[in-house]
Amino acid sequence: MAEGFPAGGNHTGPGGDSATGNGSAEPLQKSPAPAFRSRRQSRELAGAGLSRRSMMVSGATAVAAAGGTGYLLLRGGSGEAAASASTALSGQTSTAAGSTGAATSASAGSTASSAGAGTAATPSGAAATKAAAAGTTTKAAKKITVDPDLLLGRASYGRTAASAQLIGKLGASAWLERQLKPASISDPGGQAVDAQFPDLRWSIAQARKGMKIGAWDVMQDVCGHHLGRALFSSRELFEVMVDFWANHLNIACPSSEVWDTRHRFQIDVIRKHALGSFEDMLLASAFHPSMLTFLDGTNSSKASPNENYAREVLELHTVGVNGGYTEKDIQRSALLLTGWTFWEGKLTYDPNRHYTGQIKAFGFSSANSDASKGPVTQRKYLRHLANHPKTAKNIATKLATHFVSDSPPQSLVTKLAQVYTQNDTAIVPVLRALFGSAEFAASSGEKIRRPMEQLVASARVIGVKNGSSSKALMDVYYLSKEAGHAPLGWSMPNGFPDVAESWQSPASALQVFNTTTAMVHGWWPNKMTLPGPEKLLSTKPTTRAAVITAAGKKVFGRTPTARERSAANTLLTGTKLGTSFSAGSWDQKETIALTVSLFLSAPAHLSV
């Protein structure tokens, strides 16, 4: 079973580190090294007629990849360190990381569909009106000057043949504007994912009725759906933002506290407001039974106020850990936010549980004298927080960290915070300013993809296609989980780390690249449509040199560099594969598969 947030919630103070009440999970980078493949995979591979040599060579490629990634993650290591590596990839890493002095490639997301199981991708009602009004306060979008490959790498989960062709046709500016209006994008891939998870349309009452006691089916489906849309939707930037906000307003999934509500939080809060306004999203999250349950808001009353949500809404959701709030601000916020219960699937506000009396918290003041109007005062307080300058800075910093650099320029943070404030917390103008900034244009090589993002990017670039049922996506979900990055699976309220130093894990890298190698060879996950070595390349080269060139164009979108070509030659020479071969031969297929596998483990693919 997945790890849920411990009873009693997460407790942190200003400037403090998050810690759970009964201990927390080990950091991801300390997870034990997983086996090359599960027993189930071993059985299926054994029955596929694969030679022992082929399997061993593929494993060696993954080891090389993990070694190269380990060096890359050192961020700023010397050229000598790369030269001392004993893998074929080390020389390539020397160029990509050593010579530039920067680790690379950010998580961004490409795919995903209509907003998800029964919802619209764009805000509706009041949210839509406010977002539209906010957008009109900004001048017409300027044409941006940015490398299309950089934009595609950061504002999606990685290039596909179709997305690369489209951005080449439209140009970076038009592609971005199209992505900022996801409802206008035809999305058969995302709709197909939606159709595989019909239970995500259930109400809370239906989930309670339809779920077997002890089964976490709906929560697991939320995770599979999230991953599927990242893989296959055409509304690519929208899905990146869904993941970003789900991480910002994190509720662990699966988690025992939210077994009947987490799917509705994903739909009614995150997906509904992902490109709307942050104020609307914050209000929707604060009074959603999933958040109230996860952070103990439903256990908070005037007689026994619980500080968990009051603390996290300041520290994580709005002004940030360095926002300047005090313990008294937290305590007073907790009193103000009392009165909610969630029992037998029904959310209720009970005036008898709400604290009344003068409240002053973080610059907000209210007489708070009428318990029946408690929710009105609570909403005013949350709007105050959403529009606070410290919140503007916190949101701007997180967006810049995610899309630009682990240490984003303060010039960009200041600019984005101003746009956020000027546009009444609307998200689209902030993204437009971010991707159009000089800081973004100059940020190539500043971000590294996290494990799930690496898996998704690799699957997308080689052309993996969805299977006929949700089981195919759940297989990929478990592969991500084994790599330490299960979608939506962070157990604490602060969400997955978004900087490279938190992901320096050879074990995780090895798992990702073992999985990638299996995908490239067409072995696993076998419920999806995998191209296999014979369909990876549009041409069928019969020489090693031509394979390396074609594989570079497939993975990187360009001809491989001299370093990349040398690394591939080193690996292929070590396998005793020839420099020329017959069309359709095993040697040709294995040369293609190993070269593509190696390039998927290269810094140029792990980064943009």
Side-chain angles (χ1 to χ4, degrees), residues 202 207-218 259:
W202 286 354
R208 293 178 65 86
K209 183 179 179 180
M211 185 181 291
K212 297 177 181 178
I213 300 299
W216 290 13
D217 301 11
V218 177
W259 66 273

Side-chain angles (χ1 to χ4, degrees), residues 326-343:
T326 67
E327 285 296 321
K328 286 188 177 180
D329 289 324
I330 293 170
Q331 293 163 4
R332 293 165 180 170
S333 296
L335 289 171
L336 178 59
L337 294 167
T338 53
W340 294 93
T341 62
F342 182 66
W343 184 251

